[in-house]
Amino acid sequence: MNFSESFIRRLKAAENVTVLTGAGVSAESGVPTFRDPGGIWEKFKPEQLANFEAFMRDPDFVWNWYQHRREIMRDVKPNAGHFALAEMESIFRNFNLITQNIDNLHFRAGSKKVTELHGNIERNFCISCRKFAEEIDITEKKVLKCESCGGLIRPDVVWFGEMLPMQALQFSEQCASNSDVFLSVGTSAEVYPAAMLPIIAKKAGAYVAEINLNPTAISWELNETICGKSGEVLSELVNYLKENKN
Ligand code: BJW
Ligand code: ZN
């Protein structure tokens, strides 16, 4: 792969690097993406499933969908892209990984500094008393009830119309504003406010590159789009950096 000269020059000099990841980074592990052909939203509309009203309308249906996804996520392994990002943590003085993914694969690959914008599928909480549920049986098809108050238990993920965790969002915006280089990897950049982060970084003077199979909704606003599989591009990038970054 030929990385552009300007990208390499900026990366070699970079101290503050931020990476935003999306579902595409986990695709090579076998986790379905949302908006690609064959992705989650081809079979289900987001408004049917990923919002609070849908959960209240049919809690068992939405719960089951998350249980199904938990089974997929439990059985997959981090891929070369996750491992490359974990290695980058020690290459740059200040490296921050921000993810929209809820699948835990960055942690499982060894990344330590991960900011989760859309929650984590492994956690669950009660919609009435907000208490976190203990470990759950992921084969249980009926929605669980809170042991303390009997309220419905939901996954600790961010649905449409819900606020992102405030601290995580503020920290991500800070990282974006202070980046020398910002990478947006495997995300369609269609969901806000996450999709604002590359734009914030660009406006603040960062070199912003996107790694994706295809150009995205925001490509025209960035410095460059590197077309390819994130596992392959990131591995090559980290190998190059290990040899060339001082
Ligand atoms: C590869 C690859 C490989 C494949 N290698 N690449 C401003 C403007 C307009 C709308 C809004 C706005 N602000 C807020 C909104 C509303 C809404 C929104 O953004 N709507 C848009 C759809 C228009 N946002 C919200 O509601 C957010 N909340 C919020 O803003 O609160 C404040 C507020 C409240 C009320 C009113 C106004 C403001 C919350 C968003 C929550 C998103 N939740 C989900 C579900 C999480 C739980 C779950 O998983 O079930 O998060 S939706 C889903 O999309 C999931 C993802 O994290 C997110 C992003 O998807 P992602 O990761 O980009 O995946 P894909 O599939 O879209 O793309 C994959 C990409 O990978 C593709 O480009 C492929 O090409 C690529 N790829 N294989 C490299 N191997
Ligand atoms: Zn409760």
Side-chain angles (χ1 to χ4, degrees):
M1 170 133 343
N2 280 327
F3 297 114
S4 77
E5 249 177 60
S6 26
F7 181 45
I8 288 299
R9 184 166 34 80
R10 293 292 293 264
L11 263 180
K12 279 166 86 171
E15 295 197 332
N16 304 302
V17 173
T18 308
V19 178
L20 170 70
T21 61
V25 167
S26 296
E28 288 156 66
S29 292
V31 181
T33 59
F34 293 87
R35 294 169 187 83
D36 293 316
I40 293 171
W41 304 131
E42 213 172 58
K43 288 178 222 129
F44 306 101
K45 290 206 177 323
E47 59 273 19
Q48 269 181 300
L49 290 163
N51 73 57
F52 187 71
E53 290 69 33
F55 180 66
M56 292 314 283
R57 226 175 8 248
D58 194 344
D60 286 338
F61 183 66
V62 174
W63 177 257
N64 251 309
W65 183 58
Y66 280 94
Q67 293 288 66
H68 167 66
R69 291 173 62 204
R70 282 189 175 107
E71 282 180 11
I72 296 175
M73 290 172 191
R74 179 198 54 190
D75 294 341
V76 301
K77 293 194 173 65
N79 65 55
H82 296 107
F83 289 117
L85 290 170
E87 280 200 77
M88 277 190 204
E89 220 167 64
S90 53
I91 293 179
F92 297 100
R93 197 179 60 78
N94 180 24
F95 179 84
N96 287 290
L97 181 53
I98 318 272
T99 189
Q100 299 167 82
N101 300 343
I102 58 170
D103 58 22
N104 251 330
L105 287 173
H106 287 305
F107 285 115
R108 286 175 57 196
S111 283
K112 304 235 161 30
K113 269 167 79 181
V114 184
T115 299
E116 293 177 320
L117 284 179
H118 292 164
N120 189 307
I121 199 167
E122 287 190 8
R123 292 189 304 262
N124 296 277
F125 68 94
C126 166
I127 64 167
S128 301
C129 72
R130 321 287 296 181
K131 243 194 209 156
F132 280 97
E134 297 294 316
E135 207 171 307
I136 58 152
D137 173 1
I138 70 166
T139 61
E140 179 55 62
K141 301 279 184 225
K142 283 196 90 58
V143 66
L144 301 178
K145 303 275 171 60
C146 174
E147 284 182 4
S148 309
C149 77
L152 295 175
I153 299 288
R154 62 164 279 183
D156 187 14
V157 298
V158 181
W159 284 330
F160 284 106
E162 295 183 330
M163 300 293 282
L164 275 63
M166 193 54 81
Q167 251 191 318
L169 181 60
Q170 280 172 353
F171 179 70
S172 305
E173 287 169 350
Q174 244 173 48
C175 292
S177 309
N178 295 330
S179 300
D180 302 314
V181 171
F182 186 104
L183 300 179
S184 177
V185 191
T187 175
S188 60
E190 287 187 17
V191 175
Y192 288 83
M196 273 312 291
L197 296 171
I199 317 285
I200 292 174
K202 178 78 181 358
K203 287 200 173 125
Y207 191 91
V208 185
E210 159 179 79
I211 300 171
N212 200 302
L213 296 180
N214 311 298
T216 70
I218 59 164
S219 298
W220 64 280
E221 301 202 56
L222 314 180
N223 293 97
E224 72 179 277
T225 298
I226 301 166
C227 283
K229 288 185 170 183
S230 51
E232 290 171 10
V233 179
L234 289 169
S235 304
E236 215 166 302
L237 194 58
V238 88
N239 286 337
Y240 177 87
L241 288 168
K242 281 199 287 193
E243 283 175 21
N244 297 283
K245 172 100 180 133
N246 32 18

